[in-house]
Amino acid sequence: MMSANVTTPTPATTSDPVAPVRKPATKGSLVPPRLLPVLATFVLFVLMFGTGAARYENFGTAQTVANLLIDNSFLIVLAVGMTFVILTGGIDLSVGSVVALSTMVAAWGLQAGLPAPLIVLLVLATGTVFGLLQGLIIQRFDIQPFIVTLAGMFLARGLAFLISAESISIKDETFRGMSGGAVTLPGDIVITYGVVIALTVLAIAAYVLHRTRFGRTVYAVGGNEHSAMLMGLNTARVKVGVYTISGFCASLAGLLFSFYMLSGNALHAVGMELDAIAAVVIGGTLLAGGAGYVVGSLLGVLVLGTIQTLINFDGTLSSWWTKIFIGALLLAFIVLQRAALRRRQ
Amino acid sequence: MTEAATAQKPSSTGAPVVEMRGISIEFPGVKALQDVDFRLLPGEVHALMGENGAGKSTLIKALTGVYTIDSGQIRVGGAPVSFARPAEAQAAGVSTVYQEVNLCANLTVAENILLGREPRKAGAIDGRAMRARAREVLTSIGLHIDPASTLSTHPIAVQQLVAIARAVAVDASVLILDEPTSSLDADEVAELFRIMRTLRDKGTAILFVSHFLDQVYEISDRMTVLRNGKLVGEYLTAELSRLDLISAMIGRELGEMDALARMTASHEADSSRVPTLRARGLGRVGSIEPMDLDVHAGEVVGLAGLLGSGRTELVRLLFGADRPERGTIEVDGKPVSIRNPRNAIAAGIAFASEDRKGEGLIADLSIRDNLVLAMQASRGWARPVPRRLKDELIEKYIELLDIRPANPDALIRNLSGGNQQKVILARWLVTQPKLLILDEPTRGIDIGAKAQIMKLVATLAAEGMAVIFISAELEEVLRISDRVVVLRDRQKIAELEGRSASVNDVMSLIASHSDGSTLERNAS
């Protein structure tokens, strides 16, 4: 075989003149290509926020950003869990229903007079076990995650209705405290405990994804599951693990949502799993798996929230325009992803 | 690749590090391995030889825990083992580089080398230490790339070397290299062999699989030959001649290839009649310059030229896989408009592309189902194929092509690469095309299957089919073709009589006016 490869001489790197030296095909740019999608989302967020600030009074303040976080803290947590799942190339449709179930379990337990800390543990355990079971079914029986979590979605929603078809309001002091309580940051910016929790979850998730073997295996499974298995990585544990994490995040989001709404309702969070998926995708994570960042998902949530806020500020547009914008944005991002993938191949 | 061939003395001493006894594996419809013994000694390079479908890959996957064995015993380092997962085999010191690069292209080079055993500091992955360690390993195998770069930005050959770096990084006692050289160039192969010798001298047992006999004779100390899932024997490389090796692999004498040469030359194409295919001024900007081509019924026309000379581009136009921008095509004297493959199939043109994997065999269906799909597609959905005709045709093609196993219900994914190729051919043949285009039908398949395919082409032509035959191996093109069209730089530069032309004639044609580009050599 004669080489068809043209080995361009690169002076700096080699000491051995015989050894083939190859530079990566990508040209030197300021930003590594894998960060581009996140950067694009960030730019989009800045542009949208800038538009709002230019058009409306009182929009361009730090408190507006803080409010975005406050109003979407549960969605951030949900999107973080979803990011784990999507990074492996999977999907979790059950999370919206698990949020509803969590609010119901919390409201019902509090109504029954159980102590708040116990309720918190109970809710988190429920969601985690729910996710674990879904993960086990997906992994052991090698079933499409779409189908398993679709079943989980119906199941969790049904269980929520089983507790009560009526809305149950939450009167517990601790929960009300979490709801009303706030942290004042320098510059008189107020955020809720929910935001603190959401950002903590985000930080932990980023650490797990980038600095632990579990996290790197998540990316490896999303890149090529078969290869990851042949490389001797514990793909089974990771696959089960991501759905467990997603279940945990969904129940935590459910708690944040019950702080936010102060009620349990089986009709809460209908379709919220789709908002979470949209946020993850807009945040630059590939639906095929293997590439993406939780920070991107945070930006995705902020973009969604900004659209909502802009429409609220405008006042003349119907709130359905939110959906239309999100739809258009999602489409644009998926087409962009596809184009980027094509170019990479 | 010629130095010191076969001269190495096996430095192997002591007990085998891997011992497999009486291994049998059966897939639905296929006995992949039957009662195979295999042993691997420390400090040797051991070549596992056999045709496609002989069971080499299966044996390796049995050892590495990808497949579970139905019977037999595996010992590693003297202790009986049964690996349920590749991770367990790796933990026991068995490291594998598979034929297809089994890495994660979305991660960095360093991660791909060290994934699963990253250096950690206080529980967290230490990125800097990881890159440093990766650089060390890469340097040790003579590969100078940035460990922090994403794997997908590197060409396949580099990715293959990264896979080897991963295997080397663990200091495994057993290193399995399954066709590691298929995407490497000569320098890279030499580099790989240097690494293999270093490891062998340190006592690593290396299992090596390659289709390239030169390489096997250069690097291996010992060979085990498999055929049809059974053990033929174990030999010292120095004591086994190539001829003996080949007859052990294919189990019959090589004379068949020569008989074939005589047979092809015996049929006569009737070129006075209207050609089956008549292309005039066919071309596409950036793909191929306008050219004329006639192919008559019963004639084999070979396309000769270097890689990139326009061989594949020309037939892609004929099949409508690329849309011709100019020129006309007539089939049996009638003008046809070919804008996509469906038009071409309707006109009676079949095209077995060089990209076998993307060819559209449906891996989870049986041989029968794949052939029925093709039959049905050629008839349209509204006219069912009678059951008797189906069975007859399927039986005929399985026999004609010697598809193994000869069981129509065997699943495609359980067949070897060579047999999958035969099914692809069968799939086209059941549509009974007037013109069959074969793009590199013999690439990467063993000698026995090659001879069968050549024989089949000759038979089809003798029965009146028009055939266009492409192969990188000029001798093959000349042996089978009645006429050879020589291409260079996307132009037709000559047409030769296949029977009288020699390899030298064609080469000098291609080389004349040539701008100094090197000849493509196919090493198989």
Side-chain angles (χ1 to χ4, degrees), chain A residues 110 114-123 172 174-175:
Chain A
L110 291 170
L114 295 173
L118 183 67
I119 290 294
V120 168
L121 287 179
L122 186 67
V123 167
D172 178 80
T174 321
F175 271 59

Side-chain angles (χ1 to χ4, degrees), chain A residues 47-132:
Chain A
L47 282 180
M48 285 174 48
F49 199 81
T51 313
R55 288 187 60 178
Y56 310 110
E57 268 179 67
N58 302 327
F59 191 100
T61 64
Q63 188 59 48
T64 313
V65 181
N67 288 345
L68 280 178
L69 293 172
I70 291 169
D71 294 338
N72 293 291
S73 57
F74 44 88
L75 192 56
I76 292 171
V77 175
L78 216 52
V80 165
M82 188 67 79
T83 309
F84 275 85
V85 173
I86 291 183
L87 278 175
T88 65
I91 198 88
D92 189 348
L93 297 177
S94 70
V95 292
S97 299
V98 172
V99 167
L101 178 63
S102 300
T103 64
M104 277 315 271
V105 170
W108 166 77
L110 291 170
Q111 200 182 34
L114 295 173
L118 183 67
I119 290 294
V120 168
L121 287 179
L122 186 67
V123 167
L124 292 181
T126 309
T128 310
V129 169
F130 196 87
L132 173 71

Side-chain angles (χ1 to χ4, degrees), chain A residues 12-289:
Chain A
T13 37
T14 177
S15 54
D16 181 359
V18 187
V21 177
R22 292 196 180 86
K23 293 293 272 179
T26 45
K27 300 223 169 58
S29 61
L30 289 172
V31 188
R34 53 178 175 260
L35 280 174
L36 277 178
V38 176
L39 196 73
T41 312
F42 181 69
V43 170
L44 179 71
F45 171 63
V46 170
L47 282 180
M48 285 174 48
F49 199 81
T51 313
R55 288 187 60 178
Y56 310 110
E57 268 179 67
N58 302 327
F59 191 100
T61 64
Q63 188 59 48
T64 313
V65 181
N67 288 345
L68 280 178
L69 293 172
I70 291 169
D71 294 338
N72 293 291
S73 57
F74 44 88
L75 192 56
I76 292 171
V77 175
L78 216 52
V80 165
M82 188 67 79
T83 309
F84 275 85
V85 173
I86 291 183
L87 278 175
T88 65
I91 198 88
D92 189 348
L93 297 177
S94 70
V95 292
S97 299
V98 172
V99 167
L101 178 63
S102 300
T103 64
M104 277 315 271
V105 170
W108 166 77
L110 291 170
Q111 200 182 34
L114 295 173
L118 183 67
I119 290 294
V120 168
L121 287 179
L122 186 67
V123 167
L124 292 181
T126 309
T128 310
V129 169
F130 196 87
L132 173 71
L133 290 178
Q134 291 190 125
L136 284 172
I137 293 169
I138 289 165
Q139 198 277 322
R140 288 288 145 83
F141 300 109
D142 195 18
I143 305 177
Q144 299 276 349
F146 186 96
I147 292 299
V148 174
T149 58
L150 184 70
M153 176 179 108
F154 286 119
L155 180 65
R157 186 73 67 184
L159 287 174
F161 274 108
L162 203 62
I163 293 172
S164 167
E166 307 290 315
S167 179
I168 306 173
S169 66
I170 293 173
K171 299 187 179 73
D172 178 80
E173 286 304 315
T174 321
F175 271 59
R176 289 196 169 260
M178 289 298 287
S179 176
V183 186
T184 312
L185 299 177
D188 279 341
I189 303 159
V190 180
I191 55 172
T192 57
Y193 294 128
V195 175
V196 177
I197 293 173
L199 294 181
T200 309
V201 167
L202 187 84
I204 294 172
Y207 177 85
V208 168
L209 280 176
H210 297 282
R211 301 298 298 276
T212 67
R213 282 187 186 167
F214 178 88
R216 298 323 288 166
T217 309
V218 167
Y219 282 87
V221 168
N224 188 332
E225 189 180 341
H226 185 66
S227 289
M229 191 266 289
L230 289 177
M231 285 163 100
L233 302 175
N234 198 338
T235 55
R237 199 181 60 187
V238 162
K239 279 188 84 174
V240 176
V242 293
Y243 290 96
T244 313
I245 289 173
S246 182
F248 170 82
C249 285
S251 54
L252 182 59
L255 283 176
L256 296 184
F257 199 63
S258 42
F259 299 158
Y260 186 75
M261 303 294 285
L262 284 177
S263 71
N265 190 333
L267 283 171
H268 274 335
V270 172
M272 200 187 274
E273 64 280 348
L274 303 180
D275 290 338
I277 293 169
V280 172
V281 171
I282 290 174
T285 300
L286 282 184
L287 267 178

